[in-house]
């Protein structure tokens, strides 16, 4: 009997398809299910289907939803994909397994201290303001090398670069640019691609895709 077609299966099949075209292994592409705004009732069916890697964009919301689930499922992996205030650095280090929004010197300093204090090195992506947008988080492209150097000095393990391209225009050039900046800086992980463009991101080298609405439905 065929298994039912669920959003998770459809997204996984799209990932497999893009990986095949790109001649990449699916195992090199992490699907992060972005569950922001959705309650535990919406998260449980994905866990039941085998999904273990999730992402949230707010520390406080994650603190309300995840500690109980993590006790139940010790193999859950939780990523922070939203802007992080320095005064939440200790909470973020305690709760998350990976942080995608390292984007400024003050946060390097706060996270460095929080990791040292907790004795817990949380892998981070440096978020790049790839479309040079005023309102967006992320480090300016020109400032990436200095921020990476500061993170090294603070003993923060930076594993790659992350971006959220400008809305409403073709994302591919921005994904390609992020890949180029990562390569120039000796980084091999790329957090890029969301519900509307994760296949494109995979063709351009994404190692982590952050998919919300394609899995959970539209947010209010
Ligand atoms: C919400 C969010 C996503 C997921 O967006 P969808 O379009 O719902 O897939 C990915 N990355 C970040 C940083 C987000 O805030």
């Amino acid at each position: 009997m065929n298994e039912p077609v669920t959003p998770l299966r459809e997204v996984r099949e799209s990932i497999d398809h893009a990986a095949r075209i790109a001649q990449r292994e699916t195992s090199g592409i992490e699907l992060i299910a972005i569950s922001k705004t959705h309650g535990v009732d919406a998260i449980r069916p994905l866990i039941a289907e085998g999904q273990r890697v999730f992402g949230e964009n707010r520390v406080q919301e994650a603190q309300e939803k995840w500690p109980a689930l993590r006790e139940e499922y010790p193999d859950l992996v939780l990523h922070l994909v939203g802007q992080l205030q320095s005064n939440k650095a200790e909470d973020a280090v305690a709760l998350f397994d990976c942080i995608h929004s390292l984007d400024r010197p003050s946060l390097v300093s706060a996270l460095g201290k929080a990791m040292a204090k907790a004795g817990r090195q949380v892998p981070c992506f440096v978020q790049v303001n790839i479309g040079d947008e005023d309102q967006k988080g992320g480090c300016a492209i020109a400032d990436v090398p200095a921020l990476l150097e500061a993170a090294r000095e603070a003993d923060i393990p930076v594993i790659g670069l992350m971006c959220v391209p400008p809305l409403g225009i073709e994302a591919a050039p921005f994904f390609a640019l992020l890949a180029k900046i990562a390569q120039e800086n000796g980084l091999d992980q790329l957090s890029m691609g969301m519900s509307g463009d994760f296949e494109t991101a995979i063709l351009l080298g994404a190692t982590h895709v952050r998919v919300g609405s394609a899995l959970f439905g539209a947010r209010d």
Side-chain angles (χ1 to χ4, degrees):
M1 210 178 78
N2 288 333
E3 285 178 55
V5 177
T6 62
L8 180 61
R9 274 195 72 191
E10 288 193 306
V11 167
R12 285 207 179 126
E13 277 169 18
S14 300
I15 290 173
D16 287 347
H17 183 242
R20 248 191 333 273
I21 296 172
Q23 301 187 303
R24 299 180 54 197
E25 298 288 335
T26 301
S27 60
I29 300 156
E30 187 83 270
L31 168 62
I32 306 172
I34 306 296
S35 49
K36 66 186 185 200
T37 77
H38 297 288
V40 171
D41 289 351
I43 294 168
R44 281 190 181 281
L46 267 78
I47 296 176
E49 270 191 86
Q51 179 69 23
R52 288 294 180 273
V53 182
F54 290 85
E56 292 282 344
N57 73 333
R58 295 175 59 190
V59 174
Q60 194 183 331
E61 182 182 341
Q63 282 173 324
E64 286 158 15
K65 278 151 64 173
W66 288 96
L69 280 171
R70 298 195 87 161
E71 239 169 73
E72 216 176 313
Y73 301 95
D75 57 343
L76 288 177
V77 177
L78 198 56
H79 292 245
L80 177 65
V81 301
Q83 276 196 39
L84 177 58
Q85 292 170 303
S86 294
N87 64 5
K88 298 262 174 69
E90 284 192 24
D91 291 339
V93 165
L95 184 60
F96 291 97
D97 302 296
C98 185
I99 295 171
H100 292 236
S101 45
L102 181 57
D103 65 354
R104 59 193 189 277
S106 58
L107 188 57
V108 164
S109 149
L111 278 175
K113 281 184 197 136
M115 288 184 199
K117 188 172 166 193
R120 180 174 150 82
Q121 301 299 110
V122 180
C124 292
F125 287 87
V126 163
Q127 181 174 351
V128 181
N129 186 352
I130 201 73
D132 193 21
E133 296 175 279
D134 287 341
Q135 77 284 11
K136 244 191 206 148
C139 166
I141 291 171
D143 297 338
V144 169
L147 195 67
L148 289 172
E149 180 54 32
R152 258 190 298 275
E153 280 168 20
D155 241 354
I156 296 174
V158 174
I159 60 172
L161 300 182
M162 177 272 207
C163 75
V164 181
L167 263 181
I169 56 173
E170 175 55 51
F174 298 100
F175 294 153
L177 180 57
L178 192 74
K180 174 171 171 276
I181 299 165
Q183 193 183 26
E184 285 168 357
N185 287 281
L187 294 165
D188 60 4
Q189 315 251 351
L190 293 167
S191 168
M192 58 189 199
M194 317 199 321
S195 291
D197 51 24
F198 65 88
E199 290 114 317
T200 302
I202 289 167
L203 294 181
L204 290 162
T207 58
H208 296 67
V209 292
R210 310 179 310 265
V211 179
S213 46
L215 293 171
F216 293 98
R219 289 177 295 274
D220 294 334

